[in-house]
Amino acid sequence: MNNASEAEISTERSAYTQSKEPGPYTVPGFRQYTANLGVRDASDDFLCIVSEGDVRSDGVFTQSHFAGPSVLICRRHVGANPRALVAISKNANVGNGPPGLDDANALVAAAARELALPPSAFFLASTGVIGRRYPIDKMLAGMKGFGARLGQADFGAAARAIMTTDAFAKVSKRRAGAATIVGIAKGVGMIEPNMATLFAFFFTDAAIESDALRRTFRSTIDRTFNSLSIDTDTSTSDTALIFANGLAGAVAPSPSARSLDEVALELTQMIAIDGEGATKIIEVRVHGASDDVSAKIVAKAIVNSPLVKTAVHGADPNWGRILMAIGKCRDVRVDPDRVSIAFGDERVYPSFDRPVDLARVTRIMDAAKVVVKVDLGIANGAATVWGCDLSDGYIAINSSYST
Amino acid sequence: MNNASEAEISTERSAYTQSKEPGPYTVPGFRQYTANLGVRDASDDFLCIVSEGDVRSDGVFTQSHFAGPSVLICRRHVGANPRALVAISKNANVGNGPPGLDDANALVAAAARELALPPSAFFLASTGVIGRRYPIDKMLAGMKGFGARLGQADFGAAARAIMTTDAFAKVSKRRAGAATIVGIAKGVGMIEPNMATLFAFFFTDAAIESDALRRTFRSTIDRTFNSLSIDTDTSTSDTALIFANGLAGAVAPSPSARSLDEVALELTQMIAIDGEGATKIIEVRVHGASDDVSAKIVAKAIVNSPLVKTAVHGADPNWGRILMAIGKCRDVRVDPDRVSIAFGDERVYPSFDRPVDLARVTRIMDAAKVVVKVDLGIANGAATVWGCDLSDGYIAINSSYST
């Protein structure tokens, strides 16, 4: 059906799985430990990363009403510049009531004893099945003595330790002056299968003050991970964290913000290309909206439409579905007479005044990244969002038994 | 994988494809004509239904910004109690600019000449591919003389004439005192393939005043078709109409409203079971919300979640996904400690105080209709919505070429 061969697609896709900056992926001053605690199987399910000295740190978390104990603990600690992270995979510890909160507190207390830090120095992140208790005794036993076995941070290994059904470890790096910024992420992985959870953790030796860190970090997350949607479903455990230990000294704010953006954007596209059943990245750029918020609403309506996603999957130049998706954004100002829509640089609407080269649109839709451009023609609001196509692979992954 | 055999499922499903009241499906005083005008292929693509005398009529339409000329014409005429309907299938005539509006006006003018009625006596409905012009000359030629060939309304035939890729014709009937109410619907059909469009047309010989008709009709549509979601995508052409010719005289308001509800609900479930790739109806009942609007937001978040839909498809008792879907409704008041969730009569959350019988949940999820009940435990807001599971059939239908 597609014009591009499987091999071409595969080569094209692989461009989105690797950091443009080569490894090693480490940052001075961070130490790390990974292990299997028997949460579910024999693969690594425990990651601890800790800064040797004080850090500035920040975090943003799922807004789900059912945010689990890990997220609740992070929210309690986030104002105190935690310097350590414990991440558990294969069990989200969500929906387990008071016993689940007790388990989470016990994990943090054990890690705090090992590293001789107060519990408030820790972020905790958990991903996996909902409604099942941790095997907490086994986990606490496995953590005994890990504080003495920390090594230099190796974020490639850290990214592998938080993988679930991710097809590849997601790590990205950029330089910012004398400093390094590394990010790792996981998702849209399934545990057994369960729901996708997004983790994104960033580490840098740049010196950044708390206010600037918070402002820069939240702006970056908003324009990258918060502009990504695989399937419209929001996990109870989504967590993004940043740690800056200052060892490389101050760097100019603008390049460091740009480097952080680039790391986050690279990870965002890695998540998209590794979405459940995904074969392509969809990038939707909306401009000409009455404001940026309106642009993002329209862009998300397009990237989330199952009819658009399936059309992209089949490289079907069915541009009426883009028009439909814009049309359903009732709360946004849209004037149909001013709208124009393009796939790549091929305009498909309006088209009643000229023919659309549908064969060319099909070729554009055959790429590993399909760019949809919408101009609402009203004002200067703009937004770019990312997602992926919807394939039978998604159905196969998500319709099988969790038990 | 499933406990129910294919044959059992098929028998169960067929219960949702037929009206509980047997035919004939006609209403005194309505006449009809169906034909092929060559819009796309050789199957019927033209339906005209007209009341012999004056009627009270009403309509509700898609809220899409890109509503097509058919919807624009309906909106212009709806206040004048139109007595006739022309429905075109295989081409939505949307996204065609001024020429598309000219074509729609020409169709109405031709039908008006045939029936010796003013254009304002007509509703027009079109469904099919977007962005392609009608073969208008051929269509106008085919309409010549149809006014002399009208026969008694046969709503079974009418329902067949508006079918696209619907697997069965959707017609439902109820009595209301001396009067009859018949409804027909189409969807979630594909034209070539393109997007699903929903048509729902109701005919009755009950005498109902305009205000009462409007109030009753809109309330019914809100609780039935507007509580249905197959894939979150809103067509540019959705149209629901009702015609009441009064020949059976006045009927008690309450039974006639109940009969209309029953017809609409029967059609709604027919649409759900015939959703693209659907194998099951999902019915989500939310109560205990702070108000009805909040209940509907939560219910729709559940029925639209691709993770819930795929879990239902595979009869996977993965109830954490229901919790996730409730959790993402940020604009609704939710207190996790007060929420309870059940599949049928099997409670799955909270479950940390008692075991869930997952095998029983799987059996409940194997039925042709899966009922999810959520009690938010806050106040008395309630809503029920319908949808369908998400299968590889949906992907196959929607990822193939439109060209």
Side-chain angles (χ1 to χ4, degrees), chain A residues 266-315:
Chain A
E266 204 162 69
L267 291 171
T268 296
Q269 299 200 42
M270 288 180 189
I271 299 276
I273 198 72
D274 201 21
E276 290 168 2
T279 67
K280 302 173 188 179
I281 297 174
I282 306 177
E283 178 174 300
V284 180
R285 304 179 195 162
V286 174
H287 64 281
S290 50
D291 53 44
D292 291 353
V293 171
S294 298
K296 195 161 179 179
I297 290 171
V298 170
K300 282 210 154 180
I302 295 169
V303 88
N304 280 327
S305 159
L307 289 172
V308 171
K309 289 157 74 82
T310 47
V312 169
H313 180 60

Side-chain angles (χ1 to χ4, degrees), chain A residues 61-274:
Chain A
F61 310 97
T62 181
Q63 296 193 48
S64 171
H65 292 294
F66 285 95
S70 301
V71 168
L72 300 182
I73 287 170
C74 284
R75 286 202 187 117
R76 207 161 63 212
H77 296 176
V78 66
N81 288 307
R83 70 160 72 172
L85 160 66
V86 168
I88 305 292
S89 59
K90 322 280 202 289
N91 189 323
N93 186 29
V94 166
N96 292 325
L101 183 57
D102 292 345
D103 290 349
N105 282 323
L107 274 186
V108 170
R113 277 192 306 274
E114 287 291 330
L115 303 186
L117 290 170
S120 62
F122 285 82
F123 287 120
L124 178 63
S126 300
T127 176
V129 68
I130 283 178
R132 198 169 304 168
R133 294 280 300 278
Y134 282 145
I136 188 69
D137 294 339
K138 194 162 47 168
M139 291 167 74
L140 294 175
M143 288 167 70
K144 281 225 160 49
F146 90 82
R149 296 199 290 273
L150 293 170
Q152 191 192 7
D154 169 359
F155 294 112
R160 282 192 296 278
I162 58 173
M163 281 172 69
T164 54
T165 54
D166 298 59
F168 58 92
K170 297 169 183 68
V171 56
S172 170
K173 179 175 108 173
R174 288 291 187 284
R175 302 287 305 174
T180 303
I181 299 176
V182 172
I184 63 174
K186 70 140 291 212
V188 176
M190 305 286 294
I191 295 296
E192 53 166 339
N194 205 293
M195 83 187 52
T197 292
L198 183 68
F199 284 168
F201 305 139
F202 299 85
F203 306 87
T204 181
D205 51 357
I208 312 178
E209 276 317 297
S210 280
D211 280 356
L213 182 72
R214 175 177 305 250
R215 213 167 38 240
T216 306
F217 183 56
R218 287 164 191 234
S219 164
T220 294
I221 293 295
D222 197 47
R223 281 174 293 108
T224 55
F225 287 99
N226 284 348
S227 296
L228 167 71
S229 181
I230 302 298
D231 58 5
T232 78
D233 279 338
T234 306
S235 160
T236 55
S237 305
D238 292 335
T239 299
L241 304 172
I242 188 166
F243 301 82
N245 66 16
L247 292 185
V251 294
S254 156
S256 75
R258 193 170 57 239
S259 295
L260 180 63
D261 269 4
E262 287 179 12
V263 167
L265 185 55
E266 204 162 69
L267 291 171
T268 296
Q269 299 200 42
M270 288 180 189
I271 299 276
I273 198 72
D274 201 21

Side-chain angles (χ1 to χ4, degrees), chain B residues 55-373:
Chain B
V55 294
R56 298 288 175 264
S57 60
D58 191 24
V60 293
F61 310 98
T62 181
Q63 297 192 48
S64 172
H65 292 292
F66 285 95
S70 301
V71 168
L72 300 182
I73 287 171
C74 284
R75 286 202 188 117
R76 207 162 62 211
H77 296 176
V78 66
N81 287 307
R83 69 161 73 172
L85 159 67
V86 167
I88 305 292
S89 59
K90 321 282 201 288
N91 189 323
N93 186 28
V94 166
N96 293 325
L101 183 57
D102 292 344
D103 290 348
N105 282 324
L107 272 188
V108 170
R113 278 193 304 274
E114 287 291 329
L115 303 185
L117 290 169
S120 61
F122 284 80
F123 286 120
L124 178 63
S126 299
T127 176
V129 69
I130 283 177
R132 198 168 304 168
R133 294 278 303 276
Y134 282 145
I136 189 68
D137 295 338
K138 193 162 49 166
M139 292 168 73
L140 294 175
M143 287 168 69
K144 280 224 162 48
F146 91 82
R149 296 198 291 273
L150 294 169
Q152 191 192 7
D154 169 358
F155 294 112
R160 281 192 297 278
I162 57 173
M163 279 172 71
T164 53
T165 54
D166 298 59
F168 57 92
K170 297 167 183 69
V171 55
S172 171
K173 180 175 106 173
R174 288 290 188 283
R175 303 286 304 174
T180 303
I181 299 175
V182 172
I184 64 175
K186 71 139 292 212
V188 174
M190 305 286 294
I191 294 298
E192 53 164 338
N194 203 293
M195 84 189 52
T197 291
L198 184 68
F199 284 168
F201 305 140
F202 300 85
F203 306 88
T204 180
D205 51 357
I208 311 177
E209 277 317 298
S210 280
D211 280 358
L213 182 71
R214 175 177 303 252
R215 215 167 38 239
T216 305
F217 183 56
R218 287 164 191 234
S219 164
T220 294
I221 293 296
D222 197 48
R223 282 173 292 108
T224 55
F225 287 100
N226 284 349
S227 297
L228 167 71
S229 181
I230 301 300
D231 57 8
T232 78
D233 278 339
T234 305
S235 160
T236 55
S237 307
D238 293 333
T239 300
L241 304 171
I242 188 165
F243 302 83
N245 67 14
L247 292 186
V251 296
S254 157
S256 74
R258 194 171 58 237
S259 294
L260 180 62
D261 269 4
E262 287 180 13
V263 167
L265 185 55
E266 205 162 69
L267 291 171
T268 296
Q269 298 200 42
M270 287 180 190
I271 299 277
I273 198 72
D274 202 21
E276 290 168 2
T279 67
K280 303 173 188 179
I281 297 173
I282 307 178
E283 179 175 300
V284 180
R285 303 179 196 164
V286 173
H287 64 280
S290 50
D291 52 44
D292 291 353
V293 171
S294 299
K296 196 162 179 178
I297 290 170
V298 170
K300 282 210 154 179
I302 295 169
V303 88
N304 280 328
S305 160
L307 289 173
V308 170
K309 288 159 73 83
T310 47
V312 169
H313 180 60
D316 180 351
N318 196 341
W319 56 265
R321 293 177 177 179
I322 306 289
L323 186 143
M324 174 282 301
I326 301 169
K328 72 178 176 175
C329 299
R330 284 306 307 165
D331 298 334
V332 167
R333 195 177 145 215
V334 172
D335 178 349
D337 293 336
R338 295 186 188 193
V339 172
S340 76
I341 304 169
F343 279 85
D345 57 355
E346 180 71 19
R347 193 180 79 181
V348 294
Y349 179 86
S351 62
F352 47 89
D353 56 342
R354 48 178 275 290
V356 177
D357 184 346
L358 289 179
R360 183 146 185 274
V361 175
T362 299
R363 282 195 302 278
I364 289 167
M365 295 176 80
D366 259 341
K369 180 155 119 180
V370 176
V371 178
V372 177
K373 297 177 189 165

